[in-house]
Amino acid sequence: MSTSIREQALACREASIHVAGLSTERKRALLHDMAVALAADAATVLAANARDMEAARANGIGAAMLDRLRLDEGRLDGIVRAIGAVAALPDPVGRVTRSEVRPNGLVVERVRVPLGVIAMIYEARPNVTADAAALCLMAGNGVILRGGSDAMHSNLAIATAMRSALPAHGVPVDALTLVGDPSRETMVELLQLVDIVDLAIPRGGEGLIGFVTEHARVPVIKHYKGVCHLYVDSAADPALALRLLVNGKTSRPGVCNALETLLVHADIADTFVPAAVAALRERGVEVRACERSRAIVADLAAADNTDYGAEFLDLVIAMRVVDDLDAAIAHIRRFGSDHTEVIATRDEIAAERFVRELRSAVVMVNASSRFSDGGELGLGTEIGISTTRLHAYGPMGAESLTVERFVVRGNGQVRE
Amino acid sequence: MSTSIREQALACREASIHVAGLSTERKRALLHDMAVALAADAATVLAANARDMEAARANGIGAAMLDRLRLDEGRLDGIVRAIGAVAALPDPVGRVTRSEVRPNGLVVERVRVPLGVIAMIYEARPNVTADAAALCLMAGNGVILRGGSDAMHSNLAIATAMRSALPAHGVPVDALTLVGDPSRETMVELLQLVDIVDLAIPRGGEGLIGFVTEHARVPVIKHYKGVCHLYVDSAADPALALRLLVNGKTSRPGVCNALETLLVHADIADTFVPAAVAALRERGVEVRACERSRAIVADLAAADNTDYGAEFLDLVIAMRVVDDLDAAIAHIRRFGSDHTEVIATRDEIAAERFVRELRSAVVMVNASSRFSDGGELGLGTEIGISTTRLHAYGPMGAESLTVERFVVRGNGQVRE
């Protein structure tokens, strides 16, 4: 008889209490041992991955997804080293973030504690199995992994290796649970365990995010698409703006912090639009532009409203000339996804208005959108980039997998 | 034709952008004007409340609920003054909580921004209408209030007075929206507006919380019941422990931070149990006790497992003798509601274990559970006490109605 998802989740919650009680040094030793176990199991993991790859090819899976699924010795080594990097992070648990003495002598501290049990829902990326497990455990949580069925053998091999390190540190293996049943019914059941699961984090395409949001009764932090904008102000340094444009669009077009739309202030459009088009075309980028842009560079393809707001994840960009800063802000409010926006300007007042009036998770002044990443912003490894404006907003590191609670110390105070 | 809840919520979201842009001084002036407007409308509000009271009496509503519903000049004055107290709070919006310069020169700041639109779901307590509106607006949010139908006339009169102050400060009145349709269907529709409502906060009985959790698709922070425990350790100062017991149980038994269960270490039970029973009985408290307690004080009523875990909200307490600290922790883990727990002890190691091993939102050492309150812990006015271990855990003040985002300033940095 197979174990139900509820029983698995209950066992994970029970085990999570042991994880929460581990010291920083103990957690580091645990992750170290997990990395060693995974490296030792390399042949098993690669063989499991070969099975997944074979099935995926037989199922006619596309090239981009096949590439995300594929492991080799080099990639597996990267996964092992990433576990070590998580072990080196500062431990968020137990950190006293504020301490205050009240007039009646009570000492009120805010102290970070683990969330409890985190369910990670993702697609066919085996590296997420190791990354998410390491980060959740380092933050003192139990973790339930529900990966895509295309990567099931790879995920199982990785999880099995990592779990093998738990008992020696006094933690039941259920602290790291991989959901073995890839059915949607089981996923829905997991997402409705309100008395067990403290947070679900979906990472993947719009379909997955939508499905999780629709069916979850547990709290969800969404990692939705990144429709990132660069607004080139009339007071921009044109060379700097071009650098941000080329880097944002072309350095890695398939990721969520890549630029998708360029907005150009009308006052500089006559010179900046041709320069931008030339720089983009030189790197093979297709430009879809508004009528005002096309009046400047005649042979541009026309953009429509589906191009504004599109997450191309490819060498394609939408371009629009706007009257001023207000029009740029209005465009981003209408078409943006609250992920990352950039302004290029030397005008500090314009920069501050852009920062204040947009509510995106990350707002950049004169810097590339590609820095919107936990590692680049100083968080260490990230579990994703939240576009939910609650708990965490923007890149989420280990600290975002904990919450502040109150510890109060007195000497007999009572309330009048 | 009546306006749909979706249209109302959209108008609130549109108006919330104006609230988010207000300066601290402007928000304070706005709340001041709201307080003045409410005071000026006192006769209208009291007349509306009289209508609600009449209908409630005709509907056979119980005495406790009638008391919560009832307004008089003194209570209304208290509500007006509470708005002034919110206006005096520190403004959480725009606060830079961290600032770091990265090796590449990027300046990374974390800055608090409003959540957006908050839906407050509550029962027949007209004061919540004013408190929640003031706190949400002070934190830069739009607010949608859905109060109980029994208080509808009172809530409408209060909201109308407060809304009248908005236009003079450049904010559309929809920033403070009261849902006029008391049907459950409309509440469900509101709770599913995932593209508009950023957070729902239910406050009320278990039935309301359960209904909201069941039907919400928007994020919910629960304010669930408070089953607060006092554990009297073998190393406790008995006089101090008795003071915490009497204060925690009897100073205001009907609130969520009142004590509901007393746990006594076996080593001191022979002396502490009789003293506790005497002190409680003197104040009219009914004690329901375990067999070991009843072996010490013969005429105690027997507790069963429904008494452990019960939120009596009345002059009733459950009592249990436990073998040691571990047994106390195990009892609280099993029966507690993650709200507030207290240990009375002079043993610092026992105190730290109690703090570390329990995951409740507030843990007290040698202080009354009745201090588990936003005002008492230094947050100013509270919107409730979260028992959801995400975003906010424990008393929630204005800061909990905002979230940290990233502002990054560079001088042309691109990512390699």
Side-chain angles (χ1 to χ4, degrees):
Chain A
M1 203 183 76
S2 76
T3 314
S4 75
I5 185 70
R6 185 179 176 84
E7 287 169 90
Q8 285 186 281
L10 272 172
C12 183
R13 189 182 63 177
E14 202 56 44
S16 75
I17 294 170
H18 297 266
V19 184
L22 296 179
S23 70
T24 303
E25 286 319 306
R26 181 58 88 169
K27 286 188 282 194
R28 289 188 173 142
L30 168 65
L31 292 190
H32 173 79
D33 290 353
M34 285 183 156
V36 168
L38 184 56
D41 273 7
T44 310
V45 173
L46 293 177
N49 185 250
R51 283 181 66 188
D52 284 333
M53 287 292 289
E54 196 178 332
R57 277 194 209 93
N59 290 335
I61 299 293
M65 197 168 145
L66 278 180
D67 183 60
R68 284 198 286 270
L69 175 59
R70 189 175 60 83
L71 293 179
D72 56 26
E73 281 186 26
R75 286 185 175 188
L76 190 56
D77 187 52
I79 292 173
V80 169
R81 279 185 287 106
I83 298 173
V86 172
L89 291 175
D91 186 351
V93 176
R95 200 157 73 81
V96 177
T97 50
R98 272 174 278 190
S99 181
E100 189 195 357
V101 182
R102 301 290 304 158
N104 59 4
L106 288 180
V107 179
V108 180
E109 288 180 350
R110 317 257 194 122
V111 184
R112 290 216 158 258
V113 291
L115 295 179
V117 173
I118 297 169
M120 188 80 199
I121 317 288
Y122 54 106
E123 293 177 334
R125 298 176 66 158
N127 62 308
V128 174
T129 303
D131 286 356
L135 206 52
C136 289
L137 293 169
M138 189 65 199
N141 300 286
V143 58
I144 300 176
L145 301 165
R146 196 285 184 188
S149 54
D150 291 314
M152 185 55 81
H153 296 102
S154 313
N155 291 340
L156 193 57
I158 292 169
T160 301
M162 292 177 76
R163 278 159 65 99
S164 71
L166 284 160
H169 297 277
V171 179
V173 292
D174 304 302
L176 195 179
T177 292
L178 181 77
V179 179
D181 170 6
S183 73
R184 291 222 145 182
E185 290 69 29
T186 297
M187 173 161 53
V188 169
E189 207 181 328
L190 171 64
L191 292 170
Q192 303 198 342
L193 296 173
V194 288
D195 51 339
I196 306 175
V197 174
D198 294 285
L199 173 65
I201 302 181
R203 268 182 76 177
E206 281 190 55
L208 180 76
I209 310 274
F211 185 86
V212 169
T213 306
E214 174 63 27
H215 292 90
R217 298 293 170 275
V218 306
V220 174
I221 293 184
K222 276 180 274 194
H223 294 63
Y224 195 51
K225 63 184 178 182
V227 182
C228 304
H229 295 76
L230 167 62
Y231 165 60
V232 181
D233 188 44
S234 56
D237 171 342
L240 181 152
L242 280 178
R243 211 155 65 230
L244 302 188
L245 172 64
V246 168
N247 185 253
K249 182 69 257 184
T250 69
S251 61
R252 205 169 163 202
V255 294
C256 64
N257 60 20
L259 285 180
E260 303 294 8
T261 296
L262 168 65
L263 302 172
V264 181
H265 191 294
D267 289 357
I268 57 157
D270 281 345
T271 54
F272 193 79
V273 167
V277 171
L280 290 165
R281 285 185 169 166
E282 191 182 314
R283 285 156 186 93
V285 179
E286 177 191 342
V287 182
R288 300 184 189 168
C290 68
E291 288 309 310
R292 291 165 81 174
S293 307
R294 296 174 74 211
I296 299 166
V297 177
D299 62 340
L300 286 172
D304 60 28
N305 275 356
T306 66
D307 290 317
Y308 302 136
E311 189 187 32
F312 298 113
L313 299 174
D314 204 348
L315 287 174
V316 180
I317 196 166
M319 178 162 77
R320 188 177 193 182
V321 173
V322 292
D323 282 335
D324 53 20
L325 177 60
D326 287 309
I329 289 170
H331 177 102
I332 295 170
R333 279 189 182 153
R334 176 163 173 208
F335 295 104
S337 67
D338 286 346
H339 192 290
T340 300
E341 327 299 348
V342 180
I343 183 172
T345 189
R346 285 174 292 205
D347 176 349
E348 284 185 20
I349 293 169
E352 286 316 302
R353 278 198 54 211
F354 188 84
V355 166
R356 278 182 66 99
E357 297 186 22
L358 286 172
R359 61 178 201 172
S360 303
V362 184
V363 183
M364 306 259 187
V365 178
N366 295 326
S368 172
S369 65
R370 295 277 292 110
F371 289 115
S372 186
D373 170 282
E376 296 294 330
L377 298 184
L379 309 186
T381 309
E382 70 178 26
I383 201 155
I385 297 182
S386 165
T387 55
T388 296
R389 209 161 38 256
L390 197 75
H391 184 72
Y393 192 37
M396 288 178 74
E399 186 183 284
S400 297
L401 302 176
T402 63
V403 69
E404 272 181 22
R405 62 106 163 235
F406 293 81
V407 175
V408 183
R409 292 182 173 84
N411 47 23
Q413 287 90 340
V414 296
R415 191 164 165 191
E416 302 307 323
Chain B
M1 203 182 75
S2 76
T3 313
S4 77
I5 185 71
R6 185 179 176 83
E7 287 170 89
Q8 283 186 283
L10 272 172
C12 183
R13 188 182 64 177
E14 201 56 43
S16 75
I17 295 170
H18 298 266
V19 184
L22 297 178
S23 69
T24 304
E25 286 318 306
R26 179 59 88 169
K27 285 188 282 195
R28 290 188 172 141
L30 168 64
L31 292 191
H32 173 77
D33 290 352
M34 286 182 156
V36 168
L38 185 56
D41 273 7
T44 310
V45 172
L46 293 177
N49 184 251
R51 284 181 65 186
D52 284 334
M53 287 293 289
E54 196 177 331
R57 278 194 208 95
N59 290 335
I61 300 291
M65 195 167 146
L66 279 180
D67 183 60
R68 283 198 287 270
L69 176 58
R70 189 175 60 82
L71 292 179
D72 56 25
E73 280 186 27
R75 286 184 174 189
L76 190 57
D77 186 51
I79 292 173
V80 168
R81 278 185 288 105
I83 299 173
V86 172
L89 292 176
D91 186 351
V93 175
R95 199 157 74 81
V96 177
T97 50
R98 271 174 280 189
S99 181
E100 188 195 358
V101 182
R102 302 290 303 158
N104 61 3
L106 287 181
V107 179
V108 179
E109 288 180 351
R110 316 254 196 124
V111 184
R112 291 217 157 257
V113 292
L115 296 179
V117 172
I118 296 168
M120 189 79 200
I121 317 288
Y122 54 106
E123 293 177 336
R125 298 175 66 159
N127 62 309
V128 174
T129 303
D131 286 355
L135 206 52
C136 289
L137 292 168
M138 189 65 199
N141 299 287
V143 58
I144 300 175
L145 301 164
R146 198 283 185 192
S149 53
D150 292 314
M152 185 54 81
H153 296 102
S154 313
N155 291 339
L156 193 58
I158 292 169
T160 301
M162 292 177 76
R163 279 159 64 100
S164 71
L166 284 161
H169 296 276
V171 179
V173 292
D174 304 302
L176 194 178
T177 291
L178 181 78
V179 178
D181 170 6
S183 74
R184 290 222 146 183
E185 291 70 28
T186 297
M187 174 162 49
V188 170
E189 208 181 326
L190 170 65
L191 291 170
Q192 302 198 343
L193 296 173
V194 287
D195 51 339
I196 306 175
V197 174
D198 294 284
L199 173 65
I201 303 180
R203 270 183 74 179
E206 281 191 53
L208 180 76
I209 309 275
F211 185 86
V212 169
T213 306
E214 174 63 27
H215 291 91
R217 298 295 169 275
V218 306
V220 175
I221 293 184
K222 275 180 273 194
H223 295 65
Y224 196 50
K225 64 184 177 181
V227 182
C228 304
H229 295 77
L230 167 63
Y231 166 60
V232 181
D233 189 42
S234 55
D237 170 343
L240 181 152
L242 280 179
R243 212 156 62 230
L244 301 188
L245 172 64
V246 168
N247 186 253
K249 183 67 256 183
T250 69
S251 62
R252 205 170 163 202
V255 293
C256 63
N257 61 19
L259 285 179
E260 303 294 10
T261 296
L262 168 66
L263 302 172
V264 181
H265 192 295
D267 290 356
I268 57 158
D270 282 344
T271 55
F272 193 81
V273 166
V277 171
L280 290 165
R281 285 185 168 166
E282 191 181 314
R283 286 156 185 92
V285 179
E286 176 191 342
V287 182
R288 302 184 187 167
C290 69
E291 288 309 310
R292 293 165 81 176
S293 307
R294 296 175 75 211
I296 300 167
V297 178
D299 61 341
L300 285 172
D304 60 27
N305 275 354
T306 66
D307 290 318
Y308 302 138
E311 190 188 32
F312 298 114
L313 297 174
D314 203 349
L315 288 175
V316 181
I317 196 165
M319 179 162 76
R320 188 176 194 182
V321 174
V322 293
D323 283 335
D324 53 19
L325 176 60
D326 287 308
I329 290 170
H331 177 101
I332 295 170
R333 279 189 183 154
R334 175 163 174 210
F335 295 105
S337 66
D338 285 347
H339 192 291
T340 300
E341 327 300 348
V342 179
I343 183 172
T345 188
R346 284 172 294 205
D347 175 349
E348 285 186 18
I349 293 171
E352 286 317 301
R353 277 197 56 211
F354 188 85
V355 166
R356 279 182 66 98
E357 297 185 22
L358 285 172
R359 61 177 201 172
S360 304
V362 185
V363 183
M364 307 260 187
V365 179
N366 295 326
S368 171
S369 64
R370 294 276 293 108
F371 288 115
S372 185
D373 170 283
E376 296 294 330
L377 297 184
L379 309 186
T381 310
E382 71 178 27
I383 201 155
I385 297 182
S386 166
T387 55
T388 296
R389 210 161 39 257
L390 197 75
H391 183 74
Y393 193 35
M396 290 178 72
E399 187 182 282
S400 295
L401 302 176
T402 63
V403 68
E404 272 182 21
R405 60 105 163 236
F406 292 81
V407 175
V408 183
R409 292 183 173 84
N411 48 23
Q413 286 89 339
V414 296
R415 190 163 165 192
E416 301 308 321

